[in-house]
Amino acid sequence: MPTVRERSVPRAAGRRRPPPTGRSDGRGGAGRGTLWPYLLIAPAVLGMLYLLLYPLARAVLISFQDFRLRQLILGDARFVGLRNYRTLLGDPGFWEVVRRTFVFMAVNVVAIMVLSTLVALMTERLGRAARTVVLSSLVLVWAVPVVAATTVFQWLFHSEFGIVNETLAGLGFESYEGYPWFAHGGAAFGIVVALIVWQSVPFAAITLYSALVTVPTELYESARMDGAGAARVFRSVTFPLIRPVFMLVLSLEVIWTFKAFVQIWVMTRGGPGEATTILPVYAVQTALAGQRYDLGSAASMLTVLLMSGVLVLYFRQLFRQEGEQP
């Protein structure tokens, strides 16, 4: 009997069938299941690479070629090495455009960050109804198309029909009656800066406001109990906590203002003279006015390199500050 009882117990008693491991059984079913997600996203990835990388690679290639109108039609461009870059770097006018571009970027970024920070702080202290109105207004301003906003600014400062001249003349400044704003370099430069600041503040203000609402109120209460004023609270409590978001917005504004093109091209085409000509506008002017597509591409590549250099210096400083923190 004991022998019969032992034989009646199956050898694999208590064992469970192992779960499927997803390995191929030799017929390719599991392999197809593993590759299927990649096959689904492949068209989008390939399309993105084509739309983003191909124009960049094409511009880099043209910058090393003798590429003018004839080469555009016949396609017999020849390589000239660094000749286009040497031509640009040896042109004093190019360096004047570079200087103007950095001035333009600095003025815009400082104005955007100061105004957006003030708007975000004000919005945080408003009541619920007023906060909703302010945020809705910012979103609506942000949603206005660039060309539409540029056209509005053109009409605001129109010499004959602009409301700015009419208002200033009505206030007693008769010298501004029929004043040609876009015929003076400083005035045109200021109008372009005002337009870009007006378009950029909503995004920066909303982003900074989103960071401000994450600061614990207990820290504010503790700082006020210690006798800290509003400026000291912002410097010692608010800014250290929102600094990562602040720096992110700062870097984005540097990029966006450095490559501003549509507003300037629609409003002034880089004029009067070259008062509003920055690097992106200079590249297009060089490529279209004299059919020097090679020099235009080289100017675009130098713009990318300069902008990348600014961002590299900024990120190095940011990482150094983070490393010094306890």
Side-chain angles (χ1 to χ4, degrees):
M1 291 299 291
T3 306
V4 175
R5 190 178 295 115
E6 290 176 0
R7 291 178 179 177
S8 63
V9 178
R11 294 182 178 178
R15 296 181 182 178
R16 296 181 180 179
R17 181 177 297 177
T21 60
R23 296 178 181 175
S24 177
D25 56 358
R27 291 174 292 182
R32 286 196 298 270
T34 304
L35 294 176
W36 185 243
Y38 300 98
L39 294 177
L40 290 176
I41 66 173
V45 173
L46 294 176
M48 182 184 66
L49 292 177
Y50 178 78
L51 293 176
L52 295 180
L53 296 183
Y54 176 76
L56 178 62
R58 182 63 175 164
V60 172
L61 178 64
I62 293 176
S63 67
F64 291 103
Q65 295 178 329
D66 182 10
F67 201 97
R68 310 189 189 194
L69 184 60
R70 181 179 184 276
Q71 287 73 22
L72 178 64
I73 297 175
L74 300 180
D76 57 346
R78 59 185 181 85
F79 285 91
V80 294
L82 298 176
R83 189 183 71 182
N84 295 322
Y85 291 95
R86 288 195 296 266
T87 301
L88 287 177
L89 296 178
D91 183 8
F94 172 78
W95 291 108
E96 177 63 24
V97 173
V98 172
R99 183 196 65 82
R100 189 182 304 112
T101 302
F102 278 95
V103 172
F104 179 82
M105 179 193 67
V107 172
N108 276 283
V109 171
V110 170
I112 290 169
M113 298 309 298
V114 170
L115 290 177
S116 59
T117 302
L118 294 176
V119 171
L121 292 171
M122 178 198 69
T123 305
E124 185 192 19
R125 287 160 174 76
L126 293 176
R128 184 173 183 178
R131 189 187 312 124
T132 302
V133 172
V134 172
L135 292 176
S136 301
S137 302
L138 292 174
V139 171
L140 290 176
V141 172
W142 188 19
V144 176
V146 176
V147 176
T150 305
T151 304
V152 170
F153 267 70
Q154 282 182 305
W155 280 103
L156 286 175
F157 292 92
H158 194 276
S159 59
E160 297 182 8
F161 310 107
I163 191 173
V164 174
N165 284 354
E166 184 177 352
T167 302
L168 291 176
L171 293 175
F173 299 97
E174 288 82 4
S175 60
Y176 284 97
E177 184 174 358
Y179 183 79
W181 294 91
F182 297 105
H184 298 82
F189 188 90
I191 294 172
V192 173
V193 169
L195 170 60
I196 294 178
V197 170
W198 181 80
Q199 290 178 317
S200 302
V201 163
F203 168 79
I206 293 174
T207 306
L208 293 177
Y209 167 76
S210 302
L212 287 174
V213 297
T214 63
V215 179
T217 56
E218 294 82 1
L219 297 178
Y220 291 137
E221 295 174 358
S222 300
R224 294 191 183 97
M225 290 178 62
D226 293 338
R232 182 61 183 273
V233 170
F234 177 80
R235 185 172 63 253
S236 302
V237 177
T238 305
F239 185 75
L241 293 176
I242 69 169
R243 183 167 61 180
V245 177
F246 186 91
M247 293 303 180
L248 174 63
V249 174
L250 177 65
S251 62
L252 291 176
E253 295 299 339
V254 168
I255 295 173
W256 290 339
T257 57
F258 202 95
K259 65 183 185 65
F261 170 76
V262 177
Q263 298 92 332
I264 298 176
W265 189 257
V266 173
M267 185 177 290
T268 65
R269 297 293 179 96
E274 295 184 351
T276 58
T277 299
I278 62 175
L279 280 173
V281 179
Y282 176 83
V284 174
Q285 288 177 341
T286 303
L288 297 182
Q291 283 80 43
R292 291 301 306 269
Y293 305 107
D294 46 5
L295 290 180
S297 297
S300 299
M301 293 303 101
L302 291 175
T303 302
V304 173
L305 291 176
L306 289 173
M307 185 171 57
S308 301
V310 172
L311 292 178
V312 167
L313 293 176
Y314 156 71
F315 282 117
R316 286 185 59 185
Q317 182 66 23
L318 178 61
F319 294 148
R320 186 180 297 114
Q321 292 177 357
E322 291 181 352
E324 294 174 356
Q325 293 180 355

